[in-house]
């Protein structure tokens, strides 16, 4: 590591970026680029060498021995697929790159697709064909759009996305019969066309450990707006907004680590840079393809963000002992963008040897050469994608703007470049810039969850016989028979408030429905544990007691208690002028229920994959998320006395004050009728679907919910215009106020029983194995993109 002499194979923009980054390492003594380009020629420590071809392995070995090379870095895929790593390993020179066997992951799309199927790595449905007639017949039968891929290497161009059956058949003919991509077309993969956003992840790997660079998004099409022919890449940016920490964790858990583990188990461990091309579909990330080397122009984009020593990382990955876990891979918390400048006519035929002028870029901007060479002292073009401008900025917009300023430093006749690099990110930024979150309204679900985690230890110290003192469920239990009262039942308590829905009640001077809300929020939390509510107590705090307001509120509480079948047995009214102001008041309530041990829910030990998820319709927003609702109302310039945009028969305030539905009586009746058919229930309150459904689940199961399976009240469709789908899912009930996990064989009986009690019932999903174990997602929402306004 103290004195590295590197042989860098390749001549593109990727190789220029690698040489640029490697030359910065204090451990690197020299770099020989074979053949290099006009950019590598001007780098410190770097010498171009065109005395040997990058595919002449014997010549490369002789050169390496002569120059005392102790690390080989192949840039392009062809030498790796042809076995350059094996050749150098035989003479004792380490290579940052995979063996010939491991390089099949890129060299054969058939091999990689079969590998993914074997190791349960999510990818598109596919079939392999080496017979044209069979492939043609298959195309006629499939009912979905397809992608046709030449299975071998085709310089990044062997992927066809036809838009009609005629185009698909012509592409098949071009590849398999007319040999458009030569031997690469001996076999084709016909796979399902996936929709979503593409993502590229470059990962360092030593055969065991994997560490990734920021996720990037390439622009393959030649034309703006992603139109025209496919190219090797016309621009790139990183990191992408769609690559959230949760998504990246899922990709590593479900795709990257299983890939590396699978290759090692199959006898060809991967060392080098694994490039994983992903499509982020509505059903989660799926692999489009693997490459076994750095991508282009992704490399030019992400390496400027790397703070760590690239040479040190490569050495850790290349030796006989895996050492990557001991080496940091740290990146700048900034953004990077690359704009590729192409020759006129590219990706079709294009001229070469065009004279070029390139000025020196300012700090924070790089010019990476690809298809350039020196002719004497003059720089000329030598390829289709000629050169690129890359820049780093504190924001993506700043990085993109600086990259386009860098393009102005490049000049040659007919130069072409796209003017919309990162347009997808800015599209998303534009569409979501005016969207609101619960946190922006002053409420943090994450902070609430953190508080629960922080106080669990203190709560646990209060355990006593019959009461485990565990929080996080819907209600708290005490088994009286174990607490010294033999034969007594289990009692369950719940406590809750109405929240800022009270502000709307005050503005509308309508207070009875929020009294019903108070009861509903408590008794629904009891019934999900199998308990029958039998008593309720309320608390009413105000600045000054307005008897008419307080009476209306308590009358609503009494109505809620009648609907739930429990008695209103007491309460407290407090006047506190120094705490509240004007007509403000707040309310809270506590409900107590009772059950036998055999009625206790959830029965997590009985839950299994395939259990059906049934949902009961809500009456509207219910009584959670109103800080965000009020923010949306203000944003839209509405008054609570205006006609509701989602309901022409009511004002905004009247519609929003629709009380929370009380599910107690129908649920208790169905529980009694169907025995152990219902295994768990979740009351969908604050935290929405994603936070509440997991509260009834065992650690090894997740809820898979299709959000397109139920009728959504108009108020939620209106809210979606101002709130992003993920925030909708973790804030509101979105039309379902209660979710049940039911044994499949009893699902019809449960549905019929609930419908007989007047409930609107939906079958919304099922329980599935929780991918990734306890680190996996609890609640997987399918078709969530349908909520995007």
């Amino acid at each position: 590591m103290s004195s590295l002499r590197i042989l860098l194979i390749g001549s593109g923009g990727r190789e220029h970026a690698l040489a640029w980054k490697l030359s910065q390492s204090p451990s690197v003594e020299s770099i020989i680029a074979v053949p290099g380009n006009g950019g590598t020629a001007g780098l410190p420590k770097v010498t171009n060498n065109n005395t040997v071809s990058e595919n002449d392995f014997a010549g490369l070995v002789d050169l390496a021995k002569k120059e005392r090379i102790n690390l080989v870095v192949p840039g392009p895929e062809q030498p790796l697929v042809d076995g350059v790593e094996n050749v150098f390993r035989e003479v004792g020179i380490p290579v940052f790159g995979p063996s010939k066997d491991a390089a099949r992951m890129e060299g054969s799309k058939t091999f990689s697709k079969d590998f993914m199927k074997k190791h349960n790595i999510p990818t598109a449905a596919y079939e392999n064909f080496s017979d044209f007639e069979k492939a043609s017949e298959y195309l006629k039968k499939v009912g979905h759009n397809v992608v046709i891929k030449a299975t071998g290497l085709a310089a990044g161009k062997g992927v066809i996305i036809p838009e009609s059956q005629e185009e698909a058949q012509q592409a098949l003919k071009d590849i398999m019969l007319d040999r458009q991509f030569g031997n690469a077309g001996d076999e084709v993969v016909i796979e399902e066309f996936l929709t979503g956003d593409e993502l590229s992840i470059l990962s360092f790997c030593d055969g065991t450990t994997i560490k990734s660079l920021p996720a990037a998004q390439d622009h393959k099409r030649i034309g703006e707006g992603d139109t025209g022919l496919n190219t090797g890449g016309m621009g790139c940016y990183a990191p992408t907004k769609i690559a959230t920490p949760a998504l990246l964790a899922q990709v590593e858990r479900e795709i990257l680590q299983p890939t590396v583990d699978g290759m090692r188990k199959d006898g060809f461990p991967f060392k080098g840079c694994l490039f994983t091309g992903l499509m982020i579909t509505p059903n989660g990330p799926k692999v489009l393809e693997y490459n076994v080397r750095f991508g282009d122009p992704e490399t030019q984009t992400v390496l400027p963000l790397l703070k760590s020593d690239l040479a040190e990382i490569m050495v850790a990955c290349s030796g006989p002992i895996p050492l990557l876990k001991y080496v940091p891979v740290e990146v700048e918390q900034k953004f990077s963008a690359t704009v590729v400048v192409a020759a006129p006519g590219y990706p079709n035929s294009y001229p070469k040897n065009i004279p070029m002028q390139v000025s020196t870029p300012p700090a924070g901007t790089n010019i990476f050469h690809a298809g350039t060479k020196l002719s004497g002292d003059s720089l000329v073009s030598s390829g289709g994608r000629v050169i690129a401008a890359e820049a780093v900025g504190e924001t993506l917009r700043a990085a993109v703007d600086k990259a386009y300023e860098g393009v102005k430093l490049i000049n040659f006749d007919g130069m072409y470049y796209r003017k919309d690099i990162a347009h997808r990110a800015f599209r998303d930024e534009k569409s979501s810039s005016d969207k609101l979150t619960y946190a922006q309204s002053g409420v943090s679900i994450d902070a609430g969850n953190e508080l629960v985690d922080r106080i669990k230890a203190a709560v646990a110290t209060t355990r006593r016989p019959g009461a485990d003192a565990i929080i996080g469920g819907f209600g708290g239990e005490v088994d009286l028979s174990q607490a010294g009262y033999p034969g007594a039942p289990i009692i369950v308590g719940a406590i809750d408030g109405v929240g800022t829905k009270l502000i709307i009640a005050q503005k509308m001077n309508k207070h009875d429905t929020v009294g019903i809300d108070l009861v509903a929020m408590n008794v629904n939390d009891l019934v999900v544990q199998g308990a029958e509510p039998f008593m309720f107590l309320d608390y009413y705090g105000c600045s000054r007691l307005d008897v008419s307001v307080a009476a209306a509120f308590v009358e609503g509480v009494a109505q809620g208690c009648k609907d739930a079948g429990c008695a209103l047995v007491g309460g407290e009214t407090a006047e506190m002028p120094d705490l509240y102001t004007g007509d403000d008041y707040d309310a809270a309530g506590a409900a107590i229920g009772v059950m036998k041990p055999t009625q206790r829910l959830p029965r997590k030990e009985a839950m299994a994959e395939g259990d059906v998820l049934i949902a009961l319709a809500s009456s509207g927003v219910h009584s959670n998320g109103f800080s965000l609702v009020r923010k949306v109302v203000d944003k839209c310039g509405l008054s609570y006395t205006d006609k509701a945009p989602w309901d022409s028969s009511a004002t905004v305030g009247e519609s929003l004050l629709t009380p929370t539905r009380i599910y107690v009586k129908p649920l208790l009746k169905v529980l009694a009728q169907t025995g152990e058919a219902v295994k768990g229930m979740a009351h969908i309150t604050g935290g929405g679907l994603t936070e509440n459904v997991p509260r009834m689940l065992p650690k090894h199961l997740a809820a898979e919910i299709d959000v397109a399976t139920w009728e959504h009240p108009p108020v939620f469709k209106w809210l979606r215009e101002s709130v992003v789908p993920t925030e909708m899912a973790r804030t509101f009930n979105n039309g379902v106020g209660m979710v049940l996990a039911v044994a499949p064989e009893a699902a019809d009986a449960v549905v019929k029983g609930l419908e007989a009690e007047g409930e609107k019932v939906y079958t919304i999903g099922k329980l599935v194995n929780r991918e990734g174990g306890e680190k996996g997602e609890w609640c997987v929402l399918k078709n969530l993109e349908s909520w995007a306004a």
Side-chain angles (χ1 to χ4, degrees):
M1 187 67 208
S2 60
S3 184
L4 286 175
R5 295 174 297 281
I6 297 173
L7 174 62
L8 175 65
I9 302 172
S11 62
R14 164 185 50 219
E15 287 74 39
H16 185 185
L18 287 168
W20 168 80
K21 190 66 179 178
L22 287 167
S23 68
Q24 298 169 18
S25 171
S27 302
V28 172
E29 175 186 320
S30 62
I31 302 169
I32 297 177
V34 176
N37 59 35
T40 57
L43 289 173
K45 303 182 183 178
V46 181
T47 304
N48 286 353
N49 187 312
N50 57 12
T51 64
V52 60
S53 164
E54 59 189 70
N55 296 314
D56 178 4
F57 293 172
L60 290 172
V61 169
D62 289 342
L63 177 64
K65 290 179 177 178
K66 177 184 175 183
E67 299 293 340
R68 298 180 297 117
I69 296 296
N70 50 17
L71 180 65
V72 178
V73 181
E77 62 274 20
Q78 192 68 59
L80 290 164
V81 171
D82 290 342
V84 70
E85 188 275 342
N86 304 58
V87 170
F88 276 100
R89 178 158 33 95
E90 288 176 2
V91 297
I93 301 176
V95 175
F96 179 79
S99 66
K100 185 174 184 177
D101 283 346
R104 289 178 295 174
M105 294 290 278
E106 179 171 3
S108 171
K109 296 194 172 51
T110 301
F111 178 85
S112 64
K113 293 293 284 190
D114 290 344
F115 173 89
M116 286 183 264
K117 178 186 288 186
K118 176 182 178 181
H119 293 282
N120 297 313
I121 294 167
T123 188
Y126 73 99
E127 292 290 341
N128 302 323
F129 295 95
S130 55
D131 182 280
F132 170 78
E133 294 299 334
K134 290 181 180 179
S136 178
E137 286 301 313
Y138 176 78
L139 279 178
K140 294 173 184 176
K141 295 177 183 177
V142 294
H144 52 71
N145 292 338
V146 299
V147 179
I148 303 174
K149 298 179 177 180
T151 191
L153 298 180
K157 300 177 184 178
V159 178
I160 310 297
I161 306 174
E163 297 183 0
S164 65
Q165 178 68 215
E166 292 73 22
E167 284 187 21
Q169 293 288 349
Q170 183 60 50
L172 200 63
K173 180 176 179 292
D174 291 342
I175 294 171
M176 300 191 77
L177 298 184
D178 297 341
R179 316 296 288 174
Q180 183 176 0
F181 304 114
N183 293 338
D186 287 347
E187 189 173 19
V188 297
V189 176
I190 301 177
E191 67 180 31
E192 171 191 12
F193 176 74
L194 299 176
T195 59
D197 274 301
E198 290 192 39
L199 207 62
S200 300
I201 299 183
L202 277 65
S203 307
F204 298 111
C205 187
D206 63 2
T208 300
T209 301
I210 192 162
K211 294 185 178 183
S212 300
L213 289 163
Q217 194 169 72
D218 188 10
H219 297 59
K220 287 291 186 187
R221 300 283 189 170
I222 186 66
E224 290 167 15
D226 298 318
T227 58
L229 297 174
N230 259 347
T231 72
M234 292 301 298
C236 185
Y237 67 97
T240 67
K241 289 190 175 181
I242 60 172
T244 62
L247 177 66
L248 292 175
Q250 182 184 3
V251 168
E252 181 167 344
R253 182 176 66 246
E254 297 179 2
I255 294 173
L256 299 181
Q257 196 62 54
T259 297
V260 174
D261 292 344
M263 294 179 75
R264 187 176 65 255
K265 291 173 184 175
D266 287 353
F268 46 92
F270 187 90
K271 297 184 178 184
C273 177
L274 180 67
F275 175 120
T276 309
L278 302 166
M279 181 70 79
I280 311 305
T281 76
N283 296 321
K286 295 188 177 184
V287 177
L288 294 174
E289 64 176 356
Y290 294 110
N291 292 332
V292 297
R293 37 67 190 184
F294 287 98
D296 186 340
E298 289 90 349
T299 305
Q300 297 93 300
T301 306
V302 296
L303 282 187
L305 296 174
L306 179 64
K307 293 167 60 177
S308 301
D309 189 320
L310 178 60
E312 183 180 3
I313 295 169
M314 286 183 168
V315 170
C317 294
S318 305
I321 300 173
L323 296 173
L324 181 59
K325 68 178 179 180
Y326 304 110
V327 175
V329 177
E330 298 177 359
V331 296
E332 295 272 5
Q333 298 304 304
K334 295 181 180 181
F335 293 85
S336 175
T338 301
V339 180
V340 172
V341 180
Y346 177 80
N348 292 316
S349 60
Y350 52 85
K352 297 182 180 180
N353 298 310
I354 306 172
M356 302 174 60
Q357 294 80 42
V358 179
S359 301
T360 302
T365 300
N366 295 294
I367 304 296
F368 290 121
H369 294 237
T372 72
K373 65 179 182 181
L374 289 176
S375 178
D377 293 331
S378 300
L379 185 69
V380 298
S381 70
S382 62
R385 289 186 300 154
V386 178
I387 199 167
E390 179 277 336
V392 171
E394 295 292 337
T395 65
L396 180 57
R397 172 57 69 188
V400 170
D401 289 348
K402 285 175 66 177
Y404 277 108
E405 287 298 310
V407 171
K408 295 177 182 179
L409 303 174
I410 302 165
N411 183 44
F412 62 91
D413 288 344
M415 58 184 274
Y416 169 81
Y417 58 94
R418 280 180 55 168
K419 299 176 179 63
D420 66 341
I421 299 305
H423 73 96
R424 280 169 279 182
F426 297 134
R427 169 207 67 194
D428 295 340
E429 182 181 90
K430 182 178 179 181
S431 65
S432 63
S433 61
D434 59 347
K435 302 284 186 179
L436 298 173
T437 66
Y438 210 3
Q440 286 174 315
S441 65
V443 181
S444 171
I445 295 171
D446 295 330
N449 292 338
E450 182 182 355
L451 174 62
V452 171
D453 289 338
R454 287 279 298 274
I455 64 177
K456 279 182 178 178
V459 172
T461 64
T462 70
R463 286 192 182 98
R464 56 162 290 167
D468 288 335
I470 297 174
I471 59 173
F474 289 97
E477 297 181 7
V478 176
D479 188 339
L480 292 176
S481 66
Q482 296 181 30
Y485 302 91
I490 297 171
I491 60 170
V492 186
I495 186 167
D496 209 340
V498 181
T500 60
K501 189 175 184 178
L502 290 173
I503 294 174
I504 301 174
Q506 291 161 18
K507 290 182 180 294
M508 296 297 294
N509 194 28
K510 180 176 173 57
H511 307 281
D512 55 339
T513 61
V514 287
I516 298 174
D517 284 312
L518 181 62
V519 177
M521 297 302 288
N522 283 280
V523 297
N524 286 340
D525 276 358
L526 292 186
V527 75
V528 299
Q529 295 192 209
E532 176 185 356
F534 70 86
M535 59 184 283
F536 191 85
L537 302 95
D538 69 336
Y539 166 83
Y540 183 94
C542 59
S543 173
R544 60 178 181 82
L545 184 62
D546 185 321
V547 174
S548 62
V549 171
F553 179 81
V554 176
E555 287 166 2
V557 173
Q559 181 60 53
C561 287
K562 287 193 290 183
D563 292 344
C566 66
L568 177 57
V569 297
E572 168 72 10
T573 300
E575 285 187 277
M576 294 177 286
D578 293 332
L579 184 61
Y580 300 101
T581 59
D583 295 327
D584 291 349
Y585 70 89
D586 194 11
I592 306 299
V594 63
M595 66 184 178
K596 298 176 182 178
T598 55
Q599 297 172 309
R600 178 191 275 123
L601 292 174
R603 293 184 294 109
K604 295 183 180 181
E605 74 287 347
M607 292 183 182
E609 287 187 71
D611 283 349
V612 177
L613 293 175
I614 291 170
L616 306 187
S618 70
S619 55
V621 183
H622 283 184
S623 190
N624 61 279
F626 270 88
S627 294
L628 181 53
V629 171
R630 292 186 301 104
K631 196 84 170 178
V632 174
V633 170
D634 289 344
K635 169 181 172 288
C636 294
L638 291 172
S639 166
Y640 291 105
T641 56
D642 291 339
K643 285 293 181 185
W646 62 89
D647 182 358
S648 60
S649 66
T651 65
V652 171
E654 289 168 343
S655 180
L656 291 176
L657 287 174
T658 301
T660 302
R661 191 165 182 81
I662 294 175
Y663 300 102
V664 172
K665 290 181 177 179
L667 285 175
L668 288 176
K669 187 169 185 178
V670 169
L671 287 174
Q673 291 173 341
T674 59
E676 296 185 346
V678 177
K679 301 180 181 182
M681 295 190 286
H683 180 202
I684 310 305
T685 59
L689 290 163
T690 56
E691 300 290 326
N692 285 293
V693 174
R695 293 164 75 178
M696 70 172 173
L697 299 179
K699 292 181 179 181
H700 69 286
L701 293 177
E704 182 181 88
I705 296 174
D706 186 344
V707 302
T709 54
W710 69 83
E711 180 182 343
H712 297 258
V715 64
F716 294 113
K717 297 178 182 177
W718 177 75
L719 285 167
R720 286 179 212 147
E721 296 175 10
S722 300
V723 182
V724 295
T726 52
E727 199 71 16
M728 290 291 298
R730 73 194 299 255
T731 304
F732 302 116
N733 67 63
N734 294 286
V736 291
M738 187 72 67
V739 174
L740 287 65
V742 181
E745 65 275 10
D748 288 344
V750 172
V751 169
K752 289 177 182 177
L754 289 167
E755 288 176 339
E757 294 302 309
E759 296 297 325
K760 186 175 286 186
V761 187
Y762 308 102
T763 300
I764 64 170
K766 61 185 178 181
L767 297 187
V768 297
N769 183 53
R770 190 176 172 198
E771 295 292 336
E774 294 185 20
K775 294 182 179 180
E777 286 188 86
W778 280 101
C779 193
V780 181
L781 301 182
K782 300 174 65 177
N783 292 313
L784 189 61
E785 79 285 352
S786 66
W787 288 3

